[in-house]
Amino acid sequence: MVASATYAEFLREQMAPLGRVTMRRMFGKTGVFCDGVMLAMVTDNTLYFRVDDQNRELFKEAEAFPPLNYAKKGAMIDLSFWRVPERLFDEPDELIIWAQAALAAAHRVAAKRGRSDSPARAGNQRRRG
């Protein structure tokens, strides 16, 4: 289920220090983007940050909750998004630290996939098209 309008606005306010935060519906969920890079997902008004090997230690507390997942051919597929502990919404500075770590992981994933947010690369891709 996608994020409610109220929850989406709350998240934009909370994560404003990161940069331009936008949201887009994706696969029945809501993708959370900062300057065009997806750092989180929301389902049922629950926030999940992107995790990878480099930020996993910071997110250790989130291991207590199941990761974001979906069913495929009768099996559950875990995604690299971990639930943000509710207490962080009372600790805005710590929430931003987690969000920065998730954004860094999102940039690493984008780099592995050969994506770049640089205007020069985007312009080159358009010219080839």
Side-chain angles (χ1 to χ4, degrees), residues 36-94:
V37 178
M38 189 170 73
L39 72 143
M41 292 195 82
V42 175
T43 185
D44 296 322
N45 286 341
T46 301
L47 179 64
Y48 293 79
F49 279 146
R50 182 175 290 283
V51 66
D52 70 0
D53 290 339
Q54 292 185 41
N55 69 2
R56 193 174 310 271
E57 187 61 34
L58 175 65
F59 292 176
K60 200 81 168 149
E61 177 182 348
E63 282 184 324
F65 305 104
L68 189 61
N69 56 39
Y70 67 96
K72 182 178 181 181
K73 297 182 181 179
M76 291 306 290
I77 308 297
D78 290 343
L79 300 174
S80 295
F81 290 89
W82 289 4
R83 183 176 171 180
V84 174
E86 290 294 319
R87 70 167 189 82
L88 290 182
F89 295 109
D90 294 326
E91 302 287 339
D93 292 339
E94 191 174 356

Side-chain angles (χ1 to χ4, degrees), residues 6-58:
T6 304
Y7 191 71
E9 184 58 32
F10 169 74
L11 291 179
R12 276 191 285 275
E13 290 172 7
Q14 293 294 304
M15 292 193 268
L18 293 178
R20 188 174 68 88
V21 176
T22 58
M23 302 201 188
R24 184 172 74 219
R25 290 178 181 214
M26 306 175 66
F27 315 111
K29 298 169 181 40
T30 302
V32 181
F33 297 79
C34 180
D35 298 324
V37 178
M38 189 170 73
L39 72 143
M41 292 195 82
V42 175
T43 185
D44 296 322
N45 286 341
T46 301
L47 179 64
Y48 293 79
F49 279 146
R50 182 175 290 283
V51 66
D52 70 0
D53 290 339
Q54 292 185 41
N55 69 2
R56 193 174 310 271
E57 187 61 34
L58 175 65

